[in-house]
Amino acid sequence: MEKETFRERLGGAVFGAGWKLVCRLPESVARALFNFGADIAWRREGEGVRVLEGNLVRVLRTDSAVSIAPHEFGAELRALSREVMRSYARYYLETFRLQIIPDERIRAGMHVNQENVDLTLEHMKNGRGVIYALPHMGDFEQAGRWVILAGAGSFGTIAERLKPESLFQRYLKFRQGLGMEVVPTTGGPHPFGVMAQRLRAGKLVCIVADRDLSDTGVEVDFFGEKALFPAGPAALAIQTGAALMPVSCWFVGETEWAAHVYDEIPVPAEGTRKEKAAAMTQALVTVFEQAIREHPEDWHMLQKVFVNDLDPERLARSRARAVNGNGNGKGASPANGTDAGNGAAG
């Protein structure tokens, strides 16, 4: 384990102190503070906000009835990015406060298509694992707690290892306290193998899967352009026979939430394992497109996902791995978006 720098230790201490403080403040006060911070970040137009707007413009462009150049969206794009930053701030606010939000409030405030949740529980009861693959939308931490309360009991997930280590351990303890089994992308057992074991045992695995953290992603069509997505969820479904079910999350008003569990993406009957994984990943991305179009204000993507925005060297490595047959999803570590992998890393 690398030795923590002074800056990392200081950042971890500040983050930890803020976490405790947010839980002690009245919710209305904490919410106002987080909105204020989001507005400041939005006005400064730092790199994260610029990348966010670069992603959002693809959504706006494909939704537009007429052909409009990206720079011509102007006020519409800025207004949307401000909504996203406030939504993103709410995600962190509720993540910090989730440990003190009563289970009764989570149950009562969640809106979901219950039939596919019931199907999930039925699969698990019959010994078949289920993979929930999600984009970085809404409050997936709260949704994870809800599905545990709804009958899943627990689930496995993957998290990007944060720096400093003390901050990662705080997140790890927090998630474990909610009923989640968290496997880090590095510094421990291979996450693909652990998740495969859980799925073969009929468990639920949840993976936030709209950002490739490795060099083993596959290229897909996403809002009219090529983008790099992890093949891990599809590869897990192919190898274990688990049901791959996309899920989207979004906010409802200021105090409630919603999620939609989509129908299973089946494994194609023909093709190599690599071809099947690529086809299933494209099908997953198409569902993500639909979800993001419906709730673009809750898509917290402050990192580069489109091929035209990626570092050429990283893209070359990814394509070389694909040619050599290594892009089968086993090397992809689709980070659970503590983000931990979400915005902090961006």
Side-chain angles (χ1 to χ4, degrees):
M1 190 68 65
E2 295 182 7
K3 186 176 180 180
E4 295 179 3
T5 66
F6 172 76
R7 183 176 180 180
E8 288 172 347
R9 292 196 303 271
L10 178 61
V14 171
F15 204 83
W19 195 327
K20 293 180 180 179
L21 178 61
V22 167
C23 291
R24 293 173 181 170
L25 289 173
E27 183 174 351
S28 59
V29 174
R31 188 179 301 278
L33 288 173
F34 272 67
N35 281 339
F36 179 70
D39 287 348
I40 290 177
W42 174 75
R43 290 192 185 97
R44 287 179 176 174
E45 296 186 62
E47 181 180 358
V49 174
R50 293 195 301 272
V51 172
L52 169 66
E53 292 186 347
N55 293 331
L56 291 175
V57 79
R58 271 81 170 203
V59 182
L60 294 175
R61 185 172 56 199
T62 55
D63 280 352
S64 177
V66 295
S67 179
I68 302 177
H71 69 274
E72 294 177 351
F73 283 101
E76 182 181 2
L77 177 61
R78 287 296 286 159
L80 178 57
S81 66
R82 185 185 186 191
E83 287 187 69
V84 174
M85 292 302 292
R86 285 195 163 206
S87 173
Y88 188 31
R90 177 175 170 178
Y91 160 76
Y92 271 109
L93 170 65
E94 293 182 351
T95 295
F96 292 157
R97 292 180 63 85
L98 190 54
Q99 56 193 312
I100 62 171
I101 297 177
D103 290 346
E104 294 74 18
R105 177 179 167 185
I106 292 176
R107 288 191 182 98
M110 188 69 176
H111 305 271
V112 65
N113 56 326
Q114 189 63 42
E115 63 274 12
N116 273 1
V117 176
D118 292 340
L119 180 59
T120 297
L121 299 178
E122 185 67 21
H123 283 322
M124 296 171 66
K125 181 180 178 181
N126 294 331
R128 187 186 186 200
V130 177
I131 304 163
Y132 277 179
L134 310 87
H136 284 87
M137 288 183 67
D139 189 345
F140 38 80
E141 307 282 359
Q142 178 277 337
R145 180 58 182 164
W146 180 88
V147 79
I148 289 172
L149 296 172
S154 66
F155 64 81
T157 191
I158 302 169
E160 183 179 7
R161 184 178 287 277
L162 294 173
K163 290 185 178 181
E165 180 66 16
S166 57
L167 178 58
F168 176 73
Q169 291 300 324
R170 179 182 290 273
Y171 264 112
L172 190 64
K173 184 178 179 180
F174 159 69
R175 284 199 167 110
Q176 289 172 339
L178 298 175
M180 308 178 190
E181 179 190 12
V182 182
V183 179
T185 54
T186 59
H190 200 295
F192 188 96
V194 175
M195 294 300 107
Q197 289 177 359
R198 302 300 179 264
L199 290 168
R200 291 193 183 99
K203 302 295 185 180
L204 174 65
V205 165
C206 299
I207 301 175
V208 181
D210 58 346
R211 185 164 73 95
D212 180 52
L213 294 178
S214 69
D215 294 323
T216 58
V218 297
E219 287 189 28
V220 295
D221 293 320
F222 187 49
F223 289 109
E225 293 188 28
K226 293 295 183 182
L228 206 60
F229 272 68
L236 280 169
I238 294 168
Q239 180 157 320
T240 67
L244 175 58
M245 303 177 77
V247 178
S248 63
C249 304
W250 65 95
F251 293 117
V252 177
E254 290 191 352
T255 59
E256 297 187 344
W257 313 269
H260 189 91
V261 181
Y262 294 85
D263 292 340
E264 177 183 349
I265 295 175
V267 177
E270 299 180 355
T272 64
R273 178 170 294 198
K274 179 180 175 182
E275 290 169 343
K276 291 177 180 179
M280 294 174 72
T281 302
Q282 180 62 69
L284 181 67
V285 169
T286 300
V287 175
F288 285 177
E289 279 186 345
Q290 176 186 339
I292 293 166
R293 281 195 177 99
E294 292 173 353
H295 302 281
E297 70 281 358
D298 289 322
W299 185 39
H300 311 149
M301 185 48 65
L302 279 71
Q303 292 80 28
K304 297 174 181 179
V305 294
F306 292 95
V307 166
N308 286 337
D309 298 336
L310 296 177
D311 174 69
E313 292 185 4
R314 179 192 167 189
L315 184 60
R317 289 196 301 270
S318 178
R319 286 173 170 166
R321 285 176 180 266
V323 170
N324 293 330
N326 295 325
N328 60 4
K330 292 186 180 182
S333 298
N336 173 339
T338 315
D339 259 342
N342 196 4

